Amino acid sequence: MVERLKGKIALVVGAGSIGPGWGNGKATAVALAREGAKIFCADINLAAAEETAEIVRSEGGEAVAHRADVSKAADVKAMVEACISAYGRIDVLDNNVGIAEIGGVVEISEVEWDRVFAVNLKGAYLAMKQTIPFMVRQGGGSIINISSIASIRYTGVPYATYYASKAALNQLTKTTAVEYASRRVRVNAILPGLMKTPMVEKSAGLAKSYAGGNVEEMWRARDRQVPMGFGGDAWDIAWAAVYLASDESRYVTGIELVVDGGITLKYV
């Protein structure tokens, strides 16, 4: 199938990548564009957002880049207004921002706790707060919140802030989905499993937790955890987002779409 999103406008928050390669937001922006959507690429790193937008444009698509810090209400409001100014509507909002700090409730500092919640949860709240009124007025839309399997189980890594913020994002997704279902605004979550992305690679705490800082050994250790025998990549999340953004999922709202190679089904 081609042009599944023809005529749609997609605001991808976190459309850049923290390093070389394909992060979830970057791949999602490109995948949505390949299916016909026009993309508003937002990221705290403007150069990273512009890199993604240029990939879209180089493939014949249409995209603009915009800098925004999702933890700041003024930035998010300006981001949404800029997207409306550029394209006149928002059909798809993809909240693809997330950070993690290693540490359980005893080890994590209050500053780290507040920072993770500001990005992982407050950022999605602010984006939905600003976008939903436009979607209601235009007759509907699709919101996709990128959560994690860490929201529904312990993954072996002690990061209390990530577990708690992503679990809260799931509940915010479901309750908002019900609240706006009658107004044709669908709200769903994608729960990635153990993914091979630049964010994971750049996380010194994760590599240390798995393999004493050895990134390649971390990948191998994570692969061994997955029933399918390998970690997913950003495109697995991107194509899940394409489905939830498209009219093929018009009767789907409030779900937690697990994309994890079966790991959440394992007992040990």
Side-chain angles (χ1 to χ4, degrees):
M1 292 181 287
V2 294
E3 297 191 330
R4 297 155 72 187
L5 303 174
K6 184 177 181 180
K8 293 187 183 295
I9 307 302
L11 167 54
V12 179
V13 187
S17 182
I18 197 171
W22 292 94
N24 292 335
K26 183 178 179 180
T28 295
V30 172
L32 295 173
R34 288 176 178 174
E35 291 297 327
K38 296 177 182 178
I39 313 299
F40 192 88
C41 300
D43 201 277
I44 195 169
N45 183 334
L46 181 59
E50 183 57 49
E51 179 189 11
T52 302
E54 180 54 34
I55 292 171
V56 171
R57 292 192 291 262
S58 72
E59 295 184 354
E62 185 174 337
V64 297
H66 181 91
R67 185 196 177 277
D69 179 343
V70 298
S71 68
K72 297 180 178 178
D75 274 25
V76 175
K77 185 174 187 293
M79 173 188 74
V80 172
E81 290 176 348
C83 185
I84 293 294
S85 177
Y87 293 120
R89 60 187 292 120
I90 301 175
D91 299 291
V92 180
L93 168 64
D94 185 86
N95 284 313
N96 206 106
V97 177
I99 59 174
E101 293 288 349
I102 299 300
V105 293
V106 173
E107 296 81 19
I108 203 76
S109 71
E110 184 178 357
V111 170
E112 290 169 322
W113 177 275
D114 288 344
R115 177 170 174 264
V116 172
F117 268 79
V119 174
N120 293 6
L121 185 61
K122 182 182 176 183
Y125 145 69
L126 289 173
M128 290 194 291
K129 177 182 181 65
Q130 293 297 328
T131 304
I132 286 175
F134 287 105
M135 288 185 167
V136 168
R137 285 198 291 272
Q138 72 193 20
S142 174
I143 296 173
I144 305 161
N145 293 323
I146 307 304
S147 182
S148 168
I149 61 167
S151 66
I152 58 173
R153 65 164 290 174
Y154 186 73
T155 66
V157 177
Y159 41 25
T161 52
Y162 196 66
Y163 292 122
S165 62
K166 291 298 188 179
L169 180 60
N170 289 358
Q171 186 68 358
L172 184 64
T173 296
K174 290 184 286 189
T175 54
T176 307
V178 174
E179 184 178 355
Y180 287 96
S182 66
R183 282 165 278 187
R184 302 298 185 267
V185 176
R186 299 185 295 107
V187 191
N188 293 292
I190 296 175
L191 279 56
L194 300 182
M195 317 306 289
K196 292 183 177 179
T197 64
M199 176 188 167
V200 176
E201 183 175 355
K202 295 291 183 180
S203 174
L206 276 176
K208 184 177 180 181
S209 294
Y210 270 97
N214 185 316
V215 174
E216 290 305 315
E217 181 52 39
M218 175 184 71
W219 294 138
R220 288 190 286 270
R222 284 160 67 96
D223 287 349
R224 289 192 293 269
Q225 290 181 272
V226 182
M228 283 188 171
F230 63 92
D233 62 29
W235 294 100
D236 296 310
I237 305 308
W239 291 113
V242 167
Y243 166 67
L244 291 175
S246 75
D247 293 339
E248 296 158 26
S249 60
R250 71 182 187 94
Y251 204 53
V252 177
T253 196
I255 70 164
E256 298 169 358
L257 178 55
V258 177
V259 183
D260 74 344
I263 192 169
T264 51
L265 301 175
K266 286 181 65 176
Y267 178 63
V268 294

